[in-house]
Amino acid sequence: MTIAQNTVTRWTSVAALSALAAVATACGGSVVRSGSSVGGLGQGLGQYTDAAPHSAEVCVLKDSLAAPQGGSDKSMTETCSKAQKTDLLYRRALAVLALYGQRLAAISADDEYAGRFEAAASGVTTANWSDADDQATRDAVSQLVTHMAGPADGSKTELKQFIQGAAAPISSLCSGLGSYLDTQVTELATIRKDVDKKSTTKSIRRCGTYENHTICVQDTVVDRLTYAEVFARTAALENSSYQAKSSLQRFCTAHAKLAEVAKADQLGKKESDAAIADAIRAVPQTEAHWDAASAK
């Protein structure tokens, strides 16, 4: 079972959030639609917990492409174990952001649910929940989970305080995840170009001796299929990483604006909702671009 499946089994769509807001309004509840919408953006990050963090795979591919003729001196496990730990850290960070989005949407619809289930579902139970090197991200995840759990006495959490209390750890996570994805998409683009170049290079791939005769073989169908498979896999990872990066940027931008609105006591105002929507709209859509000339 994947982290996304184990942590959040069902991501609420924008339509469902609107329906939740409508029900709350009908029952006399106070709905902050911008909070529900930003929460929906956060929940959407859950789909990338297994689709985007792949620095371990990037590490293995880079190591294999750079290895000398005789092969690498280190095993792939030894070379890329640090990257694997980083992947697990950021997958959990994305899952926690998605759970925060779920909690934000519920509070925005005037749901008094304490948020303890979201905190429990995160899998973050102690400060030492990860042994990856990124201490800032580890701490930010722990802080956000603690904040989601709400007051120990189970009392109602006010939306303004909830948003403001989450602003600092979310800002830290946005910075760490953004940098991580930037590095990943750059390295994937380099690998894709390198594989493309090697696939078109006419060179001797392997030699052997038979009855005192040296026999050398160039490309085979298997070689070409292997290059094609690696190229396709790398391109797919590059695309999913760009999609995750764009979704993260939209959520981070929206939440930062929402925190500003909360601080100014302007939650629920039409002008505030419009400002948040404009901020989201201004975030550029990033995607992979293939340039045939650069691959040569």
Side-chain angles (χ1 to χ4, degrees):
M1 181 175 286
T2 65
I3 287 177
Q5 292 170 329
N6 187 49
T7 306
V8 181
T9 57
R10 187 176 183 181
W11 305 110
T12 307
S13 65
V14 174
L17 287 173
S18 298
L20 177 62
V23 170
T25 301
C27 295
S30 175
V31 179
V32 178
R33 295 185 182 278
S34 58
S36 293
S37 297
V38 175
L41 290 176
Q43 286 180 278
L45 294 175
Q47 66 184 299
Y48 299 110
T49 55
D50 296 294
H54 284 284
S55 61
E57 189 165 356
V58 169
C59 175
V60 170
L61 291 171
K62 284 177 61 180
D63 185 60
S64 299
L65 289 169
Q69 189 70 23
S72 177
D73 293 331
K74 294 182 179 180
S75 70
M76 287 183 284
T77 299
E78 182 181 0
T79 302
C80 300
S81 61
K82 182 177 179 180
Q84 171 66 3
K85 291 179 180 179
T86 301
D87 281 347
L88 294 175
L89 170 68
Y90 283 116
R91 285 175 185 169
R92 188 67 62 184
L94 282 167
V96 168
L97 284 175
L99 285 165
Y100 169 80
Q102 179 175 314
R103 180 71 186 112
L104 174 59
I107 294 181
S108 298
D110 202 29
D111 186 348
E112 295 187 15
Y113 171 56
R116 292 181 179 177
F117 281 174
E118 286 93 345
S122 70
V124 179
T125 56
T126 67
N128 299 319
W129 62 274
S130 169
D131 57 355
D133 291 340
D134 191 340
Q135 185 68 48
T137 297
R138 289 164 53 188
D139 290 346
V141 169
S142 297
Q143 291 165 14
L144 190 56
V145 169
T146 300
H147 181 64
M148 277 195 298
D153 60 3
S155 59
K156 181 179 178 179
T157 301
E158 296 298 331
L159 179 60
K160 176 182 175 179
Q161 285 70 34
F162 183 72
I163 294 171
Q164 287 185 292
I170 285 181
S171 177
S172 181
L173 288 177
C174 288
S175 177
L177 275 164
S179 177
Y180 168 86
L181 290 172
D182 280 339
T183 298
Q184 183 166 290
V185 295
T186 298
E187 291 184 338
L188 283 166
T190 300
I191 291 171
R192 172 174 51 79
K193 293 173 184 178
D194 193 15
V195 171
D196 197 11
K197 186 180 296 183
K198 281 181 166 56
S199 70
T200 57
T201 301
K202 305 302 180 184
S203 62
I204 300 299
R205 304 297 185 189
R206 60 190 66 81
C207 293
T209 302
Y210 178 73
E211 294 183 351
N212 296 324
H213 294 287
T214 299
I215 301 174
C216 294
V217 180
Q218 289 187 327
D219 281 348
T220 66
V221 172
V222 174
D223 291 320
R224 291 192 292 274
L225 286 173
T226 299
Y227 278 121
E229 183 176 0
V230 175
F231 182 93
R233 173 62 179 170
T234 303
L237 289 178
E238 189 180 1
N239 287 331
S240 63
S241 297
Y242 267 108
Q243 291 171 7
K245 179 182 174 182
S246 292
S247 295
L248 178 70
Q249 287 177 322
R250 286 193 291 273
F251 168 71
C252 293
T253 298
H255 194 275
K257 194 66 177 178
L258 185 67
E260 289 180 17
V261 169
K263 185 177 181 180
D265 286 323
Q266 296 298 308
L267 286 171
K269 301 292 181 63
K270 289 183 178 180
E271 296 80 4
S272 299
D273 291 350
I276 294 171
D278 288 342
I280 296 171
R281 194 178 297 111
V283 176
Q285 177 68 34
T286 56
E287 55 187 17
H289 293 286
W290 291 11
D291 182 0
S294 66
K296 297 180 180 180

